[in-house]
Amino acid sequence: MPQCHICSNTITPFMTFGQMPIANGFLSEKNTATEYFFELEVAHCPKCNAVQLPHQPEKEKMFHTEYPFFSGTSKSMQTHFADFADSVNTEYLAKLHDPFVIEIGCNDGILIKNFLNLGYRHLGIDPSANVADVARSKGVDVITSFFDITEAARIIKSHGQADLFLAANVMCHLSNINSVVEGIQRLLKPTGILVFEEPYLGEVIETTAYDQLYDEHVFLFSAHSVKFLFEQFEMELIDIAPQPTHGGSMRYTVAHKGQHSVTQTVTQQLQKETLLGLCEPSTYKKFKESCEKSRDQLVSLLESIAKRGETVAGYAATSKSTTVLNYCGIGSSLVSYICDTTPIKHSRLSPGMHIPVRPDHEFHDDYPDYALLFAYNHKNEIFQKEKAFSKQGGRWILYVPEVITL
Ligand code: TYD
């Protein structure tokens, strides 16, 4: 039986999404025969309440020199991370002398570059060499590495302890989370703080956003599981704040125990989660049923469109789309291509279902009848940008929180 990555309790999967490829494994025709698949099962740990994948593919299969996800592709994310840096700076750093900031999973530098611009000592850490190079090209100091307790010891020797430790959409990627947290605990000065944000479990459950579950997301955290995780290392959750990103995220602030006051937001969120049933196995049974219903509705909508001879293009070749397409069994007979702005994804096929990915000008050159929006988390930005599509009669298909056409 699998064990919880956080507390080693025995866990039982409450559902499987079936055989899944690597979510960001956009591939060329010649590699389709050797494509890697694993079973995407999901479990809730009744002891620490972390929702997790009991089995995650090896990390080198997911993060490497051709990692195709660049954080800076969305304008709204750039604004979000500038505001994030600004608020953490005002609250914790501005009053310090010569602060030192570390970010793990810094990607193309979208967040940490703001601290570089403030003239602070900083260090980014990212295992994917190609995205780390983009951060370097902006002047960010980056180590290409996976972070754990060993890397933490090395950084303490070379750079000393940090005042601020950051992670955005990263902690949920790390199955060796206990080693990572122990590394953070050692690396943070006694008064230092960790601020991290992630897609939020409560939002996923409430909106049936099952596409947040894919190989990279080994955890979906909540206030309950984050509190448990850090208490194992004499650290405590001191603040919690909802964020609009990724369809509904949560920002967690954590410190060494007793060093900073704990705001009311923590108790309030814990109470909300209890009311929402996030600690109850029955909630996950219902979630599974909601996923099945959503899948059936999306497939029957796409089949009826195909029967009418109308066309559907996917909009944005997101990691999330890999779960949707493979779980629902949607191939190129239902969605003829997926348009995306990321050059490295062009001329490749979507993982598993092998739908061609095309530059977004192909969408503009010849509009389909429908666009299935995989980047619904960037809905406002995209609807604004694609007004002409709707104006000439194009319809959007959304599947979170429910399957609808607009
Ligand atoms: P995101 O939701 O961040 O992806 P993920 O599920 O992988 O976290 O969306 C990023 C992807 O969406 C990226 O491949 C670029 C694409 N995209 C577009 O093609 N057009 C757009 O207007 C936006 C905002 C994103």
Side-chain angles (χ1 to χ4, degrees), residues 69 73-74 214 246 315-320 339-342 345 375 377-378 381-382 385:
F69 181 82
T73 48
S74 146
Y214 54 88
H246 290 285
Y315 195 101
T318 58
S319 329
K320 297 184 287 289
C339 70
D340 195 280
T341 51
T342 317
K345 294 180 183 175
N377 43 319
H378 301 296
E381 182 176 338
I382 291 170
K385 200 165 73 175

Side-chain angles (χ1 to χ4, degrees), residues 4 53 176 253 264 336 361 373 383 406:
C4 172
L53 313 187
N176 63 336
T253 306
Q264 282 182 349
S336 49
H361 70 77
L373 184 57
F383 282 4
L406 291 175

Side-chain angles (χ1 to χ4, degrees), residues 295-359:
R295 174 193 63 193
D296 296 348
Q297 286 178 344
L298 181 60
V299 171
S300 78
L301 171 66
L302 293 173
E303 283 175 349
S304 64
I305 293 171
K307 253 193 211 139
R308 295 198 299 269
E310 294 177 310
T311 53
V312 182
Y315 195 101
T318 58
S319 329
K320 297 184 287 289
S321 69
T322 297
T323 296
V324 177
L325 295 168
N326 287 276
Y327 173 58
C328 300
I330 297 167
S332 53
S333 60
L334 296 179
V335 172
S336 49
Y337 71 95
I338 306 171
C339 70
D340 195 280
T341 51
T342 317
I344 195 176
K345 294 180 183 175
H346 300 158
S347 321
R348 301 222 179 168
L349 302 173
S350 75
M353 299 312 292
H354 304 163
I355 299 174
V357 181
R358 306 256 173 82

Side-chain angles (χ1 to χ4, degrees), residues 22-321:
I22 299 293
N24 266 309
F26 295 90
L27 71 175
S28 55
E29 188 81 55
K30 68 176 175 8
N31 292 332
T32 52
T34 53
E35 190 172 13
Y36 170 86
F37 286 87
F38 74 105
E39 185 164 1
L40 181 62
E41 290 181 306
V42 192
H44 162 248
C45 174
K47 187 171 163 198
C48 72
N49 283 303
V51 167
Q52 59 198 280
L53 313 187
H55 307 289
Q56 190 186 29
E58 291 158 37
K59 54 190 190 310
E60 291 78 7
K61 283 198 163 67
M62 300 182 283
F63 309 109
H64 42 66
T65 53
E66 288 199 20
Y67 186 61
F69 181 82
F70 292 82
S71 302
T73 48
S74 146
K75 284 205 184 86
S76 57
M77 290 307 275
Q78 294 190 23
T79 310
H80 171 78
F81 283 121
D83 293 347
F84 181 169
D86 193 43
S87 82
V88 184
N89 183 44
T90 309
E91 187 140 0
Y92 297 104
L93 293 183
K95 53 186 179 255
L96 301 180
H97 169 67
D98 190 24
F100 178 36
V101 180
I102 293 182
E103 185 188 2
I104 52 169
C106 68
N107 196 275
D108 56 14
I110 191 169
L111 174 58
I112 200 163
K113 73 166 188 223
N114 294 289
F115 297 96
L116 162 77
N117 294 344
L118 285 165
Y120 292 169
R121 284 187 298 129
H122 67 275
L123 182 65
I125 305 162
D126 201 291
S128 299
N130 61 330
V131 292
D133 281 345
V134 177
R136 264 185 215 110
S137 72
K138 295 174 185 162
V140 176
D141 196 3
V142 191
I143 299 177
T144 306
S145 171
F146 287 100
F147 180 81
D148 58 11
I149 192 163
T150 316
E151 193 57 54
R154 254 186 243 133
I155 297 170
I156 293 171
K157 258 196 181 159
S158 57
H159 292 72
Q161 285 181 301
D163 297 282
L164 171 64
F165 198 103
L166 297 166
N169 309 307
V170 171
M171 299 289 275
C172 65
H173 289 65
L174 310 169
S175 63
N176 63 336
I177 192 79
N178 285 336
S179 174
V180 170
V181 172
E182 199 172 347
I184 295 172
Q185 187 234 26
R186 292 195 190 178
L187 201 39
L188 264 190
K189 286 182 186 168
T191 52
I193 55 154
L194 158 71
V195 187
F196 72 100
E197 58 182 40
E198 312 265 337
Y200 177 55
L201 172 66
E203 197 71 32
V204 169
I205 297 296
E206 280 194 300
T207 63
T208 319
Y210 64 86
D211 56 355
Q212 284 295 353
L213 290 156
Y214 54 88
D215 55 355
E216 292 179 24
H217 288 177
V218 67
F219 292 112
L220 280 177
F221 284 120
S222 59
H224 275 87
S225 53
V226 168
K227 184 172 180 293
F228 187 104
L229 168 64
F230 286 92
E231 282 177 356
Q232 297 181 117
F233 298 93
E234 294 297 304
M235 297 181 82
E236 62 185 345
L237 180 58
I238 61 167
D239 191 62
I240 183 160
Q243 304 297 319
T245 48
H246 290 285
S249 296
M250 199 58 86
R251 183 176 298 164
Y252 305 95
T253 306
V254 177
H256 290 291
K257 206 167 175 68
Q259 290 287 338
H260 290 265
S261 47
V262 179
T263 69
Q264 282 182 349
T265 56
V266 175
T267 328
Q268 285 164 356
Q269 197 62 36
L270 289 167
Q271 283 167 353
K272 269 193 205 162
E273 290 183 357
T274 306
L275 288 177
L276 191 59
L278 295 190
C279 307
E280 299 300 324
S282 58
T283 299
Y284 300 99
K285 189 170 170 278
K286 275 192 223 131
F287 175 69
K288 175 179 183 279
E289 288 161 7
S290 304
C291 293
E292 288 162 358
K293 190 169 154 210
S294 172
R295 174 193 63 193
D296 296 348
Q297 286 178 344
L298 181 60
V299 171
S300 78
L301 171 66
L302 293 173
E303 283 175 349
S304 64
I305 293 171
K307 253 193 211 139
R308 295 198 299 269
E310 294 177 310
T311 53
V312 182
Y315 195 101
T318 58
S319 329
K320 297 184 287 289
S321 69

